[in-house]
């Protein structure tokens, strides 16, 4: 167990290092420069800005400095585009908001998608199966930016306790979370169905049936845990993506979450912001994958030895 | 390979021929009503956008012609689905937007398949340390946040494309309107494909790796055939099934990527328009006139449905073993 955790963490560190390195050099290949949009910027001022942020130094020195600041001082640098704000402040302010939204919608997605998948598998090739799979397909095809406005119009408008958009009341998390959950729920339903069908055709399930174990016990005690393996494998990366990448939903419902910075950062060529986000995202992804690995080990004893 | 009795029409002489993977698959596909419906819808949408819409615009219907006196008009003989916030014909706008959405998705899918097959095929066939290293690069890029990598690619490429476009206009005298409109699509297409080929590469690698272990490849190798010949003549044809399935399922996901990017203002730029852009514009007039949102949203969702059902059906038909999810 410890060995798995250790090797996962090591792997995460390598991935994060490579991601940041790739991003560091790739972002400088973008045409233009970080201060191109600033109006009335004389050559002198521009040079001064570049000196201030250390952009006048050779690239490899800048690269070394970045790691030095991050590792030795825990400093992710100042944002280029949002003057006077540190990247770490931007992330620490917006992350809790995205986390709250992401966790709620993930919870909704699981409580919707997994039962749907189980029902579909139990009634394989019957009308329940087809209905469940058409619902799941609807979740994939009716996307957030179509659903969001529909929800705003049909729920937020008539109900006084729901805001159309904004992030001031506790109830403001509800509509965005519901909007965000359907896509994930749909994938979960499909994966759960696949896993369940796979397990239900195994010999040990047939043996259990032959011994007269009830249908309910077969599902809950014997089939469910291994059947959820594909869904849980998907949940790891989905967790990281839903928490950071919900930019569209954030912009529909005007939520001050993290997603906006991914787009703003790269549009404004805000090197430090983008690098900070990639670093944070990589670590989050590593943690999410570790959690889904640990859950898998708990669920499938065969994985304990490998 | 199993032969299916149902594949054979009446008349015994056909029995001697047996049935190929593709006839088998076609028979299975034909039985899947949802997939057939999806296929019919896909074909109808393609014909409507790429054949009927150009004819309509040739006989004088225009999606870009503004008429502010006639905005948010209801359906009429002149504007079958009414008009939008600037008095433009909604039907023509949706069809022309569809052209762009589909064009970007299909071009990006073709790129994805090309890059993915070559990269994944080589990684799977060579295997060993080189193959592994190639796949680690893919894994690493897959760990990047989607938006960052797509926007990065798009910006880097658009600089190059602009230069080529300017060259075509200035030196070759091409019509600047056409060139610029098309040039606007290229960076987006490459950006989407630049992210999309990663999953394609993975799928191709895993099937190439398992094919490379098979006896017929060993036989080809012992006959002294070149690596390139083995890869393209022996391994590639056997991977066509998964490639076709995955390509069909890639098109709707690329339509979705394009729409998402256009929705957040990082995709298609005016005068071009796409479903994502139309949905975004329509959402602003949600309370005034819902058809401006509803028409592109319905057509967009319907297209995604159709492609996904067709793709799922193709997977069930071509690869019955893998059809559990």
């Amino acid at each position: 167990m410890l060995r798995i955790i250790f090797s996962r963490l090591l792997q995460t560190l390598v991935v994060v290092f490579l991601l940041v390195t790739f991003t560091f050099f790739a972002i400088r290949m973008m045409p233009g420069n970080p201060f191109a949009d600033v109006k009335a910027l004389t050559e002198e001022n521009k040079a001064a800005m570049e000196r201030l942020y250390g952009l006048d130094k050779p690239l490899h020195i800048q690269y070394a400095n970045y790691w030095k600041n991050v590792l030795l001082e825990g400093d992710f640098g100042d944002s280029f585009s949002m003057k006077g704000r540190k990247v770490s402040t931007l992330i620490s302010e917006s992350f809790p908001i995205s986390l709250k939204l992401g966790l709620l919608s993930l919870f909704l997605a699981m409580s919707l998608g997994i039962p749907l998948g189980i029902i579909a598998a139990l009634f394989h090739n019957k009308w329940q199966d087809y209905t469940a799979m058409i619902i799941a397909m609807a979740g994939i095809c009716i996307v957030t930016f179509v659903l969001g406005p529909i929800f705003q119009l049909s729920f937020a408008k008539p109900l006084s306790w729901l805001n159309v958009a904004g992030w001031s009341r506790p109830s403001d998390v509800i509509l965005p979370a519901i909007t965000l959950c359907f896509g994930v729920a749909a994938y979960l339903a499909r994966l759960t169905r696949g896993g369940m069908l796979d397990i239900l055709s195994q010999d040990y399930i047939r043996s259990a049936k032959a011994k007269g174990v009830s249908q309910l016990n077969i599902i809950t005690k014997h089939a469910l845990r291994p059947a959820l393996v594909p869904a849980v494998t998907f949940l790891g990366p989905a967790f990281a993506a839903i928490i950071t990448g919900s930019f569209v939903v954030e912009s529909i419902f005007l939520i001050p979450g993290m997603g906006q910075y991914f787009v703003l950062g790269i549009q404004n060529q805000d090197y430090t912001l983008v690098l900070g986000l990639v670093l944070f995202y990589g670590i989050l992804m590593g943690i999410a994958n570790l959690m889904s690995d640990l859950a898998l080990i708990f669920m499938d004893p065969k994985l304990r030895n490998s | 390979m199993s032969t299916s009795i149902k594949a054979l029409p009446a008349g015994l002489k056909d029995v001697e021929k047996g049935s190929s993977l593709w006839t088998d698959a076609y028979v299975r596909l034909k039985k899947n009503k949802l997939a057939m419906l999806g296929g019919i819808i896909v074909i109808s949408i393609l014909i409507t956008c790429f054949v009927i819409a150009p004819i309509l615009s040739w006989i004088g219907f225009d999606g870009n012609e503004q008429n502010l006196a006639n905005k948010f008009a209801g359906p009429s003989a002149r504007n079958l689905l009414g008009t939008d916030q600037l008095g433009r014909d909604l039907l023509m706008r949706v069809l022309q937007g569809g052209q762009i959405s589909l064009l970007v998705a299909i071009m990006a899918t073709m790129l994805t398949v090309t890059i993915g097959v070559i990269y994944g095929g080589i990684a799977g066939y060579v295997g060993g340390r080189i193959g592994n290293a190639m796949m680690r690069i893919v894994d690493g890029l897959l760990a990047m946040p989607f938006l960052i990598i797509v926007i990065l690619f798009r910006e880097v490429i658009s600089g190059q494309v602009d230069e080529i476009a300017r060259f075509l206009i200035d030196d070759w005298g091409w019509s600047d309107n056409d060139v610029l409109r098309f040039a606007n699509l290229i960076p987006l297409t490459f950006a989407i494909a630049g992210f999309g080929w990663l999953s394609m590469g993975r799928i191709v690698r895993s099937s190439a790796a398992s094919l490379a272990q098979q006896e017929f490849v060993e036989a080809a190798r012992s006959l002294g055939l070149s690596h390139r010949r083995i890869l393209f003549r022996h391994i590639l044809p056997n991977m066509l099934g998964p490639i076709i399935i995955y390509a069909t399922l890639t098109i709707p996901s690329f339509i979705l990527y394009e729409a998402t990017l256009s929705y957040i203002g990082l995709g298609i730029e005016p005068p071009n328009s796409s479903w994502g852009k139309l949905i975004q514009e329509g959402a602003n007039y949600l309370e005034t006139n819902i058809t401006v949102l509803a028409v592109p949203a319905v057509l967009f969702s319907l297209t995604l449905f159709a492609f996904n059902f067709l793709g799922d059906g193709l997977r069930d038909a071509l690869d019955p073993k893998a059809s559990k999810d």
Side-chain angles (χ1 to χ4, degrees), chain A residues 19 26 30-31 137-138 143 149 157 190 193 247 252 267 281, chain B residues 140 143-144 152 155 256 263-264 266 286-287 308 312 324:
Chain A
L19 279 185
M30 285 172 73
M137 191 63 94
V143 296
K157 277 266 144 193
R190 286 162 69 99
R193 173 178 176 268
F247 175 70
I252 295 172
Q267 263 184 318
Y281 181 85
Chain B
M144 285 280 284
L152 200 78
E155 294 294 320
L256 178 57
Y263 181 88
I264 61 183
L266 293 168
L286 195 58
E287 290 166 75
N308 276 315
D312 277 1
K324 278 182 227 101

PDB file of all heavy atoms in Angstrom, chain A residues 19 26 30-31 137-138 143 149 157 190 193 247 252 267 281, chain B residues 140 143-144 152 155 256 263-264 266 286-287 308 312 324:
ATOM      1  N   LEU A  19       5.212  18.797 -17.197  1.00  0.00           N
ATOM      2  CA  LEU A  19       4.146  19.706 -17.624  1.00  0.00           C
ATOM      3  C   LEU A  19       4.600  21.154 -17.542  1.00  0.00           C
ATOM      4  O   LEU A  19       4.418  21.933 -18.477  1.00  0.00           O
ATOM      5  CB  LEU A  19       2.915  19.536 -16.724  1.00  0.00           C
ATOM      6  CG  LEU A  19       1.974  18.392 -17.002  1.00  0.00           C
ATOM      7  CD1 LEU A  19       0.766  18.480 -16.088  1.00  0.00           C
ATOM      8  CD2 LEU A  19       1.522  18.432 -18.446  1.00  0.00           C
ATOM      9  N   ALA A  26       6.637  26.303 -24.210  1.00  0.00           N
ATOM     10  CA  ALA A  26       5.616  26.403 -25.259  1.00  0.00           C
ATOM     11  C   ALA A  26       4.944  27.771 -25.241  1.00  0.00           C
ATOM     12  O   ALA A  26       4.673  28.352 -26.294  1.00  0.00           O
ATOM     13  CB  ALA A  26       4.577  25.304 -25.085  1.00  0.00           C
ATOM     14  N   MET A  30       4.249  31.572 -28.278  1.00  0.00           N
ATOM     15  CA  MET A  30       3.076  32.309 -28.723  1.00  0.00           C
ATOM     16  C   MET A  30       3.505  33.655 -29.287  1.00  0.00           C
ATOM     17  O   MET A  30       4.400  34.297 -28.741  1.00  0.00           O
ATOM     18  CB  MET A  30       2.108  32.530 -27.558  1.00  0.00           C
ATOM     19  CG  MET A  30       1.346  31.294 -27.166  1.00  0.00           C
ATOM     20  SD  MET A  30       0.388  31.526 -25.659  1.00  0.00           S
ATOM     21  CE  MET A  30      -0.934  32.556 -26.264  1.00  0.00           C
ATOM     22  N   PRO A  31       2.864  34.077 -30.394  1.00  0.00           N
ATOM     23  CA  PRO A  31       3.226  35.373 -30.951  1.00  0.00           C
ATOM     24  C   PRO A  31       2.830  36.501 -29.995  1.00  0.00           C
ATOM     25  O   PRO A  31       1.951  36.324 -29.154  1.00  0.00           O
ATOM     26  CB  PRO A  31       2.414  35.451 -32.244  1.00  0.00           C
ATOM     27  CG  PRO A  31       1.373  34.410 -32.142  1.00  0.00           C
ATOM     28  CD  PRO A  31       1.844  33.383 -31.184  1.00  0.00           C
ATOM     29  N   MET A 137     -27.207   9.160 -23.191  1.00  0.00           N
ATOM     30  CA  MET A 137     -26.758   9.835 -24.407  1.00  0.00           C
ATOM     31  C   MET A 137     -27.216  11.292 -24.413  1.00  0.00           C
ATOM     32  O   MET A 137     -26.476  12.181 -24.849  1.00  0.00           O
ATOM     33  CB  MET A 137     -27.307   9.089 -25.633  1.00  0.00           C
ATOM     34  CG  MET A 137     -26.707   9.533 -26.927  1.00  0.00           C
ATOM     35  SD  MET A 137     -24.940   9.211 -26.983  1.00  0.00           S
ATOM     36  CE  MET A 137     -24.927   7.627 -27.793  1.00  0.00           C
ATOM     37  N   ALA A 138     -28.417  11.539 -23.883  1.00  0.00           N
ATOM     38  CA  ALA A 138     -28.905  12.913 -23.792  1.00  0.00           C
ATOM     39  C   ALA A 138     -27.975  13.729 -22.900  1.00  0.00           C
ATOM     40  O   ALA A 138     -27.674  14.890 -23.191  1.00  0.00           O
ATOM     41  CB  ALA A 138     -30.323  12.936 -23.251  1.00  0.00           C
ATOM     42  N   VAL A 143     -25.490  19.791 -24.079  1.00  0.00           N
ATOM     43  CA  VAL A 143     -24.306  20.230 -23.356  1.00  0.00           C
ATOM     44  C   VAL A 143     -24.612  21.377 -22.410  1.00  0.00           C
ATOM     45  O   VAL A 143     -25.692  21.970 -22.454  1.00  0.00           O
ATOM     46  CB  VAL A 143     -23.205  20.644 -24.357  1.00  0.00           C
ATOM     47  CG1 VAL A 143     -22.786  19.445 -25.157  1.00  0.00           C
ATOM     48  CG2 VAL A 143     -23.704  21.742 -25.255  1.00  0.00           C
ATOM     49  N   PRO A 149     -28.672  27.977 -19.931  1.00  0.00           N
ATOM     50  CA  PRO A 149     -29.702  28.992 -20.205  1.00  0.00           C
ATOM     51  C   PRO A 149     -31.125  28.471 -20.009  1.00  0.00           C
ATOM     52  O   PRO A 149     -31.983  29.194 -19.511  1.00  0.00           O
ATOM     53  CB  PRO A 149     -29.454  29.355 -21.668  1.00  0.00           C
ATOM     54  CG  PRO A 149     -28.030  29.019 -21.912  1.00  0.00           C
ATOM     55  CD  PRO A 149     -27.721  27.860 -21.036  1.00  0.00           C
ATOM     56  N   LYS A 157     -35.839  31.978 -13.011  1.00  0.00           N
ATOM     57  CA  LYS A 157     -36.788  33.078 -13.214  1.00  0.00           C
ATOM     58  C   LYS A 157     -38.014  32.956 -12.318  1.00  0.00           C
ATOM     59  O   LYS A 157     -38.320  33.874 -11.568  1.00  0.00           O
ATOM     60  CB  LYS A 157     -37.207  33.125 -14.696  1.00  0.00           C
ATOM     61  CG  LYS A 157     -36.214  33.855 -15.563  1.00  0.00           C
ATOM     62  CD  LYS A 157     -36.600  35.307 -15.711  1.00  0.00           C
ATOM     63  CE  LYS A 157     -35.316  36.123 -15.741  1.00  0.00           C
ATOM     64  NZ  LYS A 157     -35.586  37.541 -15.565  1.00  0.00           N
ATOM     65  N   ARG A 190     -22.736   4.873 -18.412  1.00  0.00           N
ATOM     66  CA  ARG A 190     -22.253   3.960 -19.463  1.00  0.00           C
ATOM     67  C   ARG A 190     -21.164   3.041 -18.932  1.00  0.00           C
ATOM     68  O   ARG A 190     -21.146   1.849 -19.234  1.00  0.00           O
ATOM     69  CB  ARG A 190     -21.746   4.773 -20.658  1.00  0.00           C
ATOM     70  CG  ARG A 190     -22.885   5.388 -21.470  1.00  0.00           C
ATOM     71  CD  ARG A 190     -22.391   6.499 -22.351  1.00  0.00           C
ATOM     72  NE  ARG A 190     -21.558   6.016 -23.441  1.00  0.00           N
ATOM     73  CZ  ARG A 190     -21.989   5.817 -24.678  1.00  0.00           C
ATOM     74  NH1 ARG A 190     -23.236   6.055 -24.973  1.00  0.00           N
ATOM     75  NH2 ARG A 190     -21.173   5.390 -25.621  1.00  0.00           N
ATOM     76  N   ARG A 193     -22.640   0.483 -16.446  1.00  0.00           N
ATOM     77  CA  ARG A 193     -23.365  -0.556 -17.174  1.00  0.00           C
ATOM     78  C   ARG A 193     -22.386  -1.569 -17.767  1.00  0.00           C
ATOM     79  O   ARG A 193     -22.574  -2.778 -17.626  1.00  0.00           O
ATOM     80  CB  ARG A 193     -24.205   0.087 -18.280  1.00  0.00           C
ATOM     81  CG  ARG A 193     -24.886  -0.891 -19.212  1.00  0.00           C
ATOM     82  CD  ARG A 193     -25.727  -0.146 -20.234  1.00  0.00           C
ATOM     83  NE  ARG A 193     -26.321  -1.048 -21.198  1.00  0.00           N
ATOM     84  CZ  ARG A 193     -25.755  -1.368 -22.365  1.00  0.00           C
ATOM     85  NH1 ARG A 193     -24.575  -0.891 -22.675  1.00  0.00           N
ATOM     86  NH2 ARG A 193     -26.370  -2.187 -23.197  1.00  0.00           N
ATOM     87  N   PHE A 247     -15.135  26.111 -16.898  1.00  0.00           N
ATOM     88  CA  PHE A 247     -15.159  27.505 -17.329  1.00  0.00           C
ATOM     89  C   PHE A 247     -16.496  27.916 -17.935  1.00  0.00           C
ATOM     90  O   PHE A 247     -17.005  29.006 -17.659  1.00  0.00           O
ATOM     91  CB  PHE A 247     -14.037  27.766 -18.335  1.00  0.00           C
ATOM     92  CG  PHE A 247     -14.074  29.149 -18.903  1.00  0.00           C
ATOM     93  CD1 PHE A 247     -13.756  30.240 -18.121  1.00  0.00           C
ATOM     94  CD2 PHE A 247     -14.459  29.374 -20.211  1.00  0.00           C
ATOM     95  CE1 PHE A 247     -13.800  31.517 -18.631  1.00  0.00           C
ATOM     96  CE2 PHE A 247     -14.508  30.652 -20.733  1.00  0.00           C
ATOM     97  CZ  PHE A 247     -14.171  31.720 -19.938  1.00  0.00           C
ATOM     98  N   ILE A 252     -21.499  31.054 -17.637  1.00  0.00           N
ATOM     99  CA  ILE A 252     -22.958  31.182 -17.769  1.00  0.00           C
ATOM    100  C   ILE A 252     -23.553  31.748 -16.483  1.00  0.00           C
ATOM    101  O   ILE A 252     -24.386  32.640 -16.505  1.00  0.00           O
ATOM    102  CB  ILE A 252     -23.606  29.807 -18.070  1.00  0.00           C
ATOM    103  CG1 ILE A 252     -23.151  29.274 -19.421  1.00  0.00           C
ATOM    104  CG2 ILE A 252     -25.126  29.914 -18.041  1.00  0.00           C
ATOM    105  CD1 ILE A 252     -23.591  27.858 -19.687  1.00  0.00           C
ATOM    106  N   GLN A 267      -4.831  33.746 -22.589  1.00  0.00           N
ATOM    107  CA  GLN A 267      -5.153  34.803 -23.554  1.00  0.00           C
ATOM    108  C   GLN A 267      -4.281  36.033 -23.345  1.00  0.00           C
ATOM    109  O   GLN A 267      -3.859  36.674 -24.292  1.00  0.00           O
ATOM    110  CB  GLN A 267      -6.620  35.201 -23.404  1.00  0.00           C
ATOM    111  CG  GLN A 267      -7.516  34.514 -24.378  1.00  0.00           C
ATOM    112  CD  GLN A 267      -8.921  35.025 -24.222  1.00  0.00           C
ATOM    113  OE1 GLN A 267      -9.422  35.217 -23.119  1.00  0.00           O
ATOM    114  NE2 GLN A 267      -9.572  35.247 -25.339  1.00  0.00           N
ATOM    115  N   TYR A 281      -2.856  22.217 -11.242  1.00  0.00           N
ATOM    116  CA  TYR A 281      -3.694  21.219 -11.906  1.00  0.00           C
ATOM    117  C   TYR A 281      -3.013  19.858 -11.910  1.00  0.00           C
ATOM    118  O   TYR A 281      -3.644  18.835 -11.640  1.00  0.00           O
ATOM    119  CB  TYR A 281      -3.973  21.683 -13.336  1.00  0.00           C
ATOM    120  CG  TYR A 281      -4.842  20.769 -14.156  1.00  0.00           C
ATOM    121  CD1 TYR A 281      -6.220  20.849 -14.082  1.00  0.00           C
ATOM    122  CD2 TYR A 281      -4.285  19.842 -15.030  1.00  0.00           C
ATOM    123  CE1 TYR A 281      -7.021  20.032 -14.840  1.00  0.00           C
ATOM    124  CE2 TYR A 281      -5.081  19.013 -15.798  1.00  0.00           C
ATOM    125  CZ  TYR A 281      -6.444  19.114 -15.698  1.00  0.00           C
ATOM    126  OH  TYR A 281      -7.234  18.296 -16.463  1.00  0.00           O
TER     127      TYR A 281
ATOM    128  N   GLY B 140       1.714  12.404 -20.864  1.00  0.00           N
ATOM    129  CA  GLY B 140       2.057  13.704 -20.286  1.00  0.00           C
ATOM    130  C   GLY B 140       1.196  14.810 -20.867  1.00  0.00           C
ATOM    131  O   GLY B 140       0.636  15.627 -20.139  1.00  0.00           O
ATOM    132  N   ALA B 143      -2.266  14.980 -19.663  1.00  0.00           N
ATOM    133  CA  ALA B 143      -2.437  15.512 -18.315  1.00  0.00           C
ATOM    134  C   ALA B 143      -2.533  17.031 -18.316  1.00  0.00           C
ATOM    135  O   ALA B 143      -2.788  17.640 -17.289  1.00  0.00           O
ATOM    136  CB  ALA B 143      -1.288  15.058 -17.413  1.00  0.00           C
ATOM    137  N   MET B 144      -2.306  17.658 -19.492  1.00  0.00           N
ATOM    138  CA  MET B 144      -2.428  19.118 -19.567  1.00  0.00           C
ATOM    139  C   MET B 144      -3.906  19.505 -19.520  1.00  0.00           C
ATOM    140  O   MET B 144      -4.744  18.791 -20.049  1.00  0.00           O
ATOM    141  CB  MET B 144      -1.880  19.632 -20.905  1.00  0.00           C
ATOM    142  CG  MET B 144      -0.393  19.641 -21.024  1.00  0.00           C
ATOM    143  SD  MET B 144       0.313  21.057 -20.198  1.00  0.00           S
ATOM    144  CE  MET B 144      -0.041  22.360 -21.362  1.00  0.00           C
ATOM    145  N   LEU B 152      -3.115  27.393 -26.644  1.00  0.00           N
ATOM    146  CA  LEU B 152      -1.694  27.522 -26.957  1.00  0.00           C
ATOM    147  C   LEU B 152      -1.421  27.154 -28.417  1.00  0.00           C
ATOM    148  O   LEU B 152      -0.820  27.915 -29.174  1.00  0.00           O
ATOM    149  CB  LEU B 152      -0.908  26.598 -26.022  1.00  0.00           C
ATOM    150  CG  LEU B 152       0.563  26.875 -25.822  1.00  0.00           C
ATOM    151  CD1 LEU B 152       0.695  28.038 -24.864  1.00  0.00           C
ATOM    152  CD2 LEU B 152       1.251  25.671 -25.227  1.00  0.00           C
ATOM    153  N   GLU B 155      -2.929  29.736 -30.870  1.00  0.00           N
ATOM    154  CA  GLU B 155      -2.183  30.984 -30.996  1.00  0.00           C
ATOM    155  C   GLU B 155      -0.905  30.782 -31.792  1.00  0.00           C
ATOM    156  O   GLU B 155      -0.557  31.586 -32.649  1.00  0.00           O
ATOM    157  CB  GLU B 155      -1.855  31.537 -29.607  1.00  0.00           C
ATOM    158  CG  GLU B 155      -3.065  31.972 -28.818  1.00  0.00           C
ATOM    159  CD  GLU B 155      -3.751  33.173 -29.448  1.00  0.00           C
ATOM    160  OE1 GLU B 155      -3.051  34.080 -29.917  1.00  0.00           O
ATOM    161  OE2 GLU B 155      -4.994  33.162 -29.506  1.00  0.00           O
ATOM    162  N   LEU B 256     -18.368  19.268 -30.544  1.00  0.00           N
ATOM    163  CA  LEU B 256     -18.579  19.827 -29.207  1.00  0.00           C
ATOM    164  C   LEU B 256     -17.416  20.739 -28.790  1.00  0.00           C
ATOM    165  O   LEU B 256     -17.633  21.834 -28.267  1.00  0.00           O
ATOM    166  CB  LEU B 256     -18.742  18.673 -28.216  1.00  0.00           C
ATOM    167  CG  LEU B 256     -18.921  19.035 -26.759  1.00  0.00           C
ATOM    168  CD1 LEU B 256     -20.107  19.942 -26.583  1.00  0.00           C
ATOM    169  CD2 LEU B 256     -19.109  17.782 -25.930  1.00  0.00           C
ATOM    170  N   TYR B 263     -18.169  29.190 -28.276  1.00  0.00           N
ATOM    171  CA  TYR B 263     -19.073  29.743 -27.263  1.00  0.00           C
ATOM    172  C   TYR B 263     -18.317  30.694 -26.348  1.00  0.00           C
ATOM    173  O   TYR B 263     -18.823  31.765 -26.000  1.00  0.00           O
ATOM    174  CB  TYR B 263     -19.699  28.606 -26.452  1.00  0.00           C
ATOM    175  CG  TYR B 263     -20.667  29.081 -25.402  1.00  0.00           C
ATOM    176  CD1 TYR B 263     -22.009  29.266 -25.706  1.00  0.00           C
ATOM    177  CD2 TYR B 263     -20.240  29.357 -24.109  1.00  0.00           C
ATOM    178  CE1 TYR B 263     -22.891  29.727 -24.755  1.00  0.00           C
ATOM    179  CE2 TYR B 263     -21.117  29.818 -23.153  1.00  0.00           C
ATOM    180  CZ  TYR B 263     -22.443  29.997 -23.479  1.00  0.00           C
ATOM    181  OH  TYR B 263     -23.314  30.459 -22.535  1.00  0.00           O
ATOM    182  N   ILE B 264     -17.110  30.319 -25.931  1.00  0.00           N
ATOM    183  CA  ILE B 264     -16.386  31.200 -25.017  1.00  0.00           C
ATOM    184  C   ILE B 264     -15.559  32.228 -25.772  1.00  0.00           C
ATOM    185  O   ILE B 264     -14.765  32.942 -25.178  1.00  0.00           O
ATOM    186  CB  ILE B 264     -15.502  30.405 -24.029  1.00  0.00           C
ATOM    187  CG1 ILE B 264     -14.447  29.589 -24.768  1.00  0.00           C
ATOM    188  CG2 ILE B 264     -16.341  29.511 -23.158  1.00  0.00           C
ATOM    189  CD1 ILE B 264     -13.608  28.751 -23.837  1.00  0.00           C
ATOM    190  N   LEU B 266     -13.310  31.861 -28.283  1.00  0.00           N
ATOM    191  CA  LEU B 266     -11.943  31.543 -28.686  1.00  0.00           C
ATOM    192  C   LEU B 266     -11.918  30.716 -29.955  1.00  0.00           C
ATOM    193  O   LEU B 266     -10.899  30.154 -30.314  1.00  0.00           O
ATOM    194  CB  LEU B 266     -11.236  30.766 -27.576  1.00  0.00           C
ATOM    195  CG  LEU B 266     -10.986  31.577 -26.314  1.00  0.00           C
ATOM    196  CD1 LEU B 266     -10.566  30.677 -25.182  1.00  0.00           C
ATOM    197  CD2 LEU B 266      -9.912  32.602 -26.585  1.00  0.00           C
ATOM    198  N   LEU B 286     -32.549  35.125 -24.745  1.00  0.00           N
ATOM    199  CA  LEU B 286     -33.356  34.042 -24.204  1.00  0.00           C
ATOM    200  C   LEU B 286     -34.779  34.479 -23.918  1.00  0.00           C
ATOM    201  O   LEU B 286     -35.736  33.776 -24.225  1.00  0.00           O
ATOM    202  CB  LEU B 286     -32.680  33.575 -22.911  1.00  0.00           C
ATOM    203  CG  LEU B 286     -33.090  32.254 -22.302  1.00  0.00           C
ATOM    204  CD1 LEU B 286     -32.874  31.152 -23.314  1.00  0.00           C
ATOM    205  CD2 LEU B 286     -32.272  31.996 -21.061  1.00  0.00           C
ATOM    206  N   GLU B 287     -34.933  35.678 -23.313  1.00  0.00           N
ATOM    207  CA  GLU B 287     -36.267  36.093 -22.898  1.00  0.00           C
ATOM    208  C   GLU B 287     -37.017  36.779 -24.012  1.00  0.00           C
ATOM    209  O   GLU B 287     -38.240  36.766 -24.044  1.00  0.00           O
ATOM    210  CB  GLU B 287     -36.164  37.012 -21.689  1.00  0.00           C
ATOM    211  CG  GLU B 287     -35.731  36.253 -20.461  1.00  0.00           C
ATOM    212  CD  GLU B 287     -35.304  37.185 -19.354  1.00  0.00           C
ATOM    213  OE1 GLU B 287     -36.190  37.785 -18.738  1.00  0.00           O
ATOM    214  OE2 GLU B 287     -34.098  37.332 -19.129  1.00  0.00           O
ATOM    215  N   ASN B 308     -23.267  10.005 -32.366  1.00  0.00           N
ATOM    216  CA  ASN B 308     -22.952   9.081 -31.271  1.00  0.00           C
ATOM    217  C   ASN B 308     -23.671   7.746 -31.429  1.00  0.00           C
ATOM    218  O   ASN B 308     -23.084   6.694 -31.199  1.00  0.00           O
ATOM    219  CB  ASN B 308     -23.313   9.711 -29.924  1.00  0.00           C
ATOM    220  CG  ASN B 308     -22.200  10.609 -29.424  1.00  0.00           C
ATOM    221  OD1 ASN B 308     -21.030  10.231 -29.484  1.00  0.00           O
ATOM    222  ND2 ASN B 308     -22.548  11.775 -28.959  1.00  0.00           N
ATOM    223  N   ASP B 312     -21.777   4.277 -31.847  1.00  0.00           N
ATOM    224  CA  ASP B 312     -22.026   3.147 -30.949  1.00  0.00           C
ATOM    225  C   ASP B 312     -22.470   1.926 -31.738  1.00  0.00           C
ATOM    226  O   ASP B 312     -22.037   0.800 -31.469  1.00  0.00           O
ATOM    227  CB  ASP B 312     -23.113   3.510 -29.929  1.00  0.00           C
ATOM    228  CG  ASP B 312     -22.528   4.283 -28.767  1.00  0.00           C
ATOM    229  OD1 ASP B 312     -21.305   4.532 -28.786  1.00  0.00           O
ATOM    230  OD2 ASP B 312     -23.287   4.634 -27.846  1.00  0.00           O
ATOM    231  N   LYS B 324     -19.663  -3.650 -24.682  1.00  0.00           N
ATOM    232  CA  LYS B 324     -20.384  -3.703 -23.405  1.00  0.00           C
ATOM    233  C   LYS B 324     -20.711  -2.331 -22.856  1.00  0.00           C
ATOM    234  O   LYS B 324     -21.672  -2.168 -22.143  1.00  0.00           O
ATOM    235  CB  LYS B 324     -19.578  -4.502 -22.399  1.00  0.00           C
ATOM    236  CG  LYS B 324     -19.793  -5.997 -22.588  1.00  0.00           C
ATOM    237  CD  LYS B 324     -19.025  -6.768 -21.559  1.00  0.00           C
ATOM    238  CE  LYS B 324     -18.255  -7.918 -22.147  1.00  0.00           C
ATOM    239  NZ  LYS B 324     -16.854  -7.629 -22.329  1.00  0.00           N
TER     240      LYS B 324
END
